[in-house]
């Protein structure tokens, strides 16, 4: 066993292991090819010596800190928790560490988060943007600061983004309901300033227009809007139910996300509605609890881990080459027991 040193250097590891400083540097940084057996020996010797990487010195030499800032609107939401996990998994593969800041869906918090992370000299930013304003995104683009936006696209701004195919998601959700005989559909949507809210509604209307061209009877479709979060969705839907009183005519409710759907299911049960016997409920995102709530939720599923992984890889590409990546990931409808075939749909 080699003797442990108080402040071991790369040269100490090279001397003790018998390999060159360049080989040791590649093995310890995780960048560049090193044979598996060689890397294992170098890492073992480094651990025995008590070597720790001097990040400050490395940053001065390479002008890189190998830190990535992640700005997220709500890290308590299971959707974003899985996205963050995907980012972290990919970051480890590239030898990066993430610094996470939560904005609580507040634009001023988002601006402060970006400024704070840039002061920490992160190499780039991954952002789930609040979207009430986009001045901060514009500034990053104009200043050439590497960044990737998750879940949003901005017209006329050449941003890197990774999104789910939200328009397709709205389309397949509505088409499924129409094909299973639903005639009165309500969409509990998020506010229209959100990209996903707009395009999901567009997808639903596209499916509706295609369907109505083949029918004499018009399908009833209404949209109401809520701020995000379980409590907001519950309150918005509660107010809607009170306005409707006993005239609630809908046989299906599509929700902007699964959190909205949980709020709707809770409120409907409290008011004596039977799901899916009287009402079908559809969500978006397929977060971790959606298959185990009662009834299990029919939802438009997206791969959250992949969203995070692709965002990180896009950011690294932007950092290294300056290229723009714009990625749209596929979605699928997972049919569970919160919906019911009511017959008389498309033949």
């Amino acid at each position: 066993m080699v003797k442990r040193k108080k402040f071991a250097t790369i040269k100490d590891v090279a001397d003790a292991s018998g390999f060159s400083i360049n080989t040791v540097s590649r093995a310890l940084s995780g960048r560049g090819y090193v044979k598996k057996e060689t890397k294992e020996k170098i890492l073992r010797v480094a651990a025995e010596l008590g070597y720790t990487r001097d990040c400050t010195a490395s940053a001065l030499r390479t002008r890189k800190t190998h830190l990535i800032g992640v700005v997220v609107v709500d890290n308590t939401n299971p959707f974003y928790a899985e996205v963050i996990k995907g980012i972290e998994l990919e970051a480890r593969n590239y030898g990066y560490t993430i610094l996470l800041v939560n904005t609580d869906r507040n634009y001023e918090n988002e601006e402060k988060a970006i400024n704070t992370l840039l002061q920490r000299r992160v190499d780039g930013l991954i952002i789930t943007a609040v979207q009430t304003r986009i001045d901060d995104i514009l500034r990053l683009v104009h200043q050439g600061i590497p960044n990737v936006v998750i879940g949003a696209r901005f017209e006329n701004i050449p941003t890197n983004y990774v999104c789910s195919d939200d328009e397709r998601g709205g389309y397949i959700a509505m088409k499924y309901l129409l094909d299973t005989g639903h005639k009165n559909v309500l969409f509990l949507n998020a506010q229209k300033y959100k990209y996903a809210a707009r395009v999901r509604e567009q997808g639903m209307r596209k499916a509706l227009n295609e369907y109505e061209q083949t029918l004499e009877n018009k399908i009833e479709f209404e949209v109401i809007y809520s701020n995000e979060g379980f409590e907001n969705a519950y309150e918005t839907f509660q107010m809607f139910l009170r306005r409707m009183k006993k005239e609630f005519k809908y046989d299906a409710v599509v929700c902007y996300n699964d959190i909205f759907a949980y709020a709707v299911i809770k409120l409907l049960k409290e008011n004596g509605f039977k799901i899916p016997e009287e009402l079908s409920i559809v969500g978006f995102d397929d977060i971790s609890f959606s298959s185990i709530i009662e009834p299990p939720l029919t939802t438009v599923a997206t791969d959250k881990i992949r969203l995070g992984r692709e965002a990180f890889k896009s950011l690294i590409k932007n950092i290294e080459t300056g290229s723009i990546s714009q990625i749209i990931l596929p979605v699928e409808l997972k049919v569970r027991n919160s919906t019911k075939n009511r017959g008389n749909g498309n033949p």
Side-chain angles (χ1 to χ4, degrees):
M1 177 181 285
V2 296
K3 185 177 179 180
R4 191 179 183 89
K5 301 188 69 171
K6 186 174 182 180
F7 296 109
T9 66
I10 283 183
K11 185 178 184 304
D12 294 326
V13 178
D15 291 343
S17 66
F19 296 103
S20 70
I21 289 177
N22 286 340
T23 300
V24 170
S25 178
R26 291 198 303 272
L28 294 176
S29 67
R31 294 183 296 281
Y33 174 74
V34 179
K35 288 196 299 186
K36 181 180 178 182
E37 298 81 5
T38 300
K39 184 175 183 178
E40 288 175 350
K41 181 178 179 180
I42 289 171
L43 292 176
R44 183 175 65 253
V45 170
E48 290 173 353
L49 287 172
Y51 170 82
T52 56
R53 184 164 172 256
D54 186 342
C55 295
T56 302
S58 175
L60 289 171
R61 287 194 305 271
T62 65
R63 300 199 176 200
K64 289 184 179 180
T65 60
H66 288 88
L67 296 173
I68 294 297
V70 179
V71 181
V72 65
V73 293
D74 181 5
N75 61 350
T76 65
N77 184 322
F79 175 88
Y80 293 110
E82 290 191 57
V83 171
I84 294 166
K85 182 178 180 180
I87 296 171
E88 286 184 310
L89 289 171
E90 204 61 36
R92 287 180 201 149
N93 291 339
Y94 284 81
Y96 276 78
T97 301
I98 72 167
L99 300 179
L100 177 68
V101 183
N102 182 56
T103 64
D104 291 322
R105 304 186 188 281
N106 179 281
Y107 176 77
E108 286 71 27
N109 289 345
E110 180 175 291
E111 280 194 317
K112 290 176 184 176
I114 289 173
N115 290 334
T116 298
L117 290 166
L118 291 177
Q119 288 167 9
R120 298 291 296 274
R121 300 185 57 140
V122 295
D123 293 338
L125 294 157
I126 298 174
I127 304 166
T128 65
V130 174
Q131 300 178 62
T132 50
R133 288 169 56 192
I134 58 171
D135 305 57
D136 51 356
I137 306 297
L138 277 168
R139 177 170 66 92
L140 293 175
V141 172
H142 290 158
Q143 293 180 352
I145 297 170
N147 72 93
V148 175
V149 175
I150 293 181
R153 298 166 65 184
F154 305 114
E155 292 182 3
N156 304 318
I157 306 176
T159 54
N160 296 279
Y161 62 75
V162 181
C163 297
S164 299
D165 194 343
D166 288 298
E167 182 172 355
R168 171 73 179 164
Y171 179 88
I172 60 177
M174 177 62 91
K175 188 175 187 305
Y176 165 75
L177 290 173
L178 297 175
D179 287 346
T180 51
H182 295 81
K183 305 297 183 185
N184 296 280
V185 180
L186 176 69
F187 184 25
L188 177 58
N189 199 2
Q191 299 293 347
K192 282 188 176 181
Y193 64 79
K194 292 186 64 68
Y195 165 80
R198 295 194 305 273
V199 296
R200 288 175 186 179
E201 184 175 332
Q202 289 171 11
M204 295 179 71
R205 292 189 184 279
K206 179 180 178 181
L208 184 61
N209 291 338
E210 289 179 0
Y211 193 84
E212 287 183 336
Q213 291 175 6
T214 66
L215 298 174
E216 293 182 1
N217 296 324
K218 187 175 178 64
I219 301 295
E220 293 292 331
F221 178 57
E222 185 172 355
V223 185
I224 57 175
Y225 301 93
S226 173
N227 292 326
E228 285 202 62
F230 180 92
E231 293 80 7
N232 289 328
Y234 184 94
E235 182 179 342
T236 298
F237 197 65
Q238 184 178 54
M239 291 173 62
F240 181 77
L241 277 181
R242 286 173 179 168
R243 288 200 307 269
M244 295 296 295
K245 296 182 179 178
K246 295 182 179 180
E247 299 175 3
F248 192 85
K249 59 187 176 182
Y250 302 96
D251 53 19
V253 180
V254 181
C255 300
Y256 169 75
N257 60 23
D258 290 356
I259 298 295
F260 278 26
Y262 299 168
V264 167
I265 288 172
K266 182 177 188 299
L267 187 59
L268 287 171
K269 285 182 176 180
E270 290 171 352
N271 283 270
F273 288 89
K274 295 180 180 179
I275 304 168
E277 291 81 3
E278 296 177 273
L279 266 165
S280 292
I281 309 296
V282 178
F284 272 81
D285 296 338
D286 192 30
I287 60 177
S288 53
F289 303 113
S290 294
S291 63
I292 59 175
I293 65 165
E294 184 56 41
L297 182 65
T298 294
T299 183
V300 177
T302 187
D303 189 336
K304 282 78 67 183
I305 298 291
R306 187 180 172 192
L307 270 173
R309 283 187 178 276
E310 293 293 343
F312 184 85
K313 288 189 287 186
S314 294
L315 182 61
I316 292 299
K317 188 176 179 182
N318 188 228
I319 291 169
E320 293 180 348
T321 69
S323 60
I324 299 295
S325 300
Q326 298 179 333
I327 300 170
I328 298 178
L329 300 181
V331 295
E332 63 174 320
L333 184 70
K334 291 193 175 180
V335 178
R336 300 192 180 106
N337 293 342
S338 68
T339 52
K340 177 181 178 181
N341 191 328
R342 304 193 187 283
N344 301 319
N346 267 338

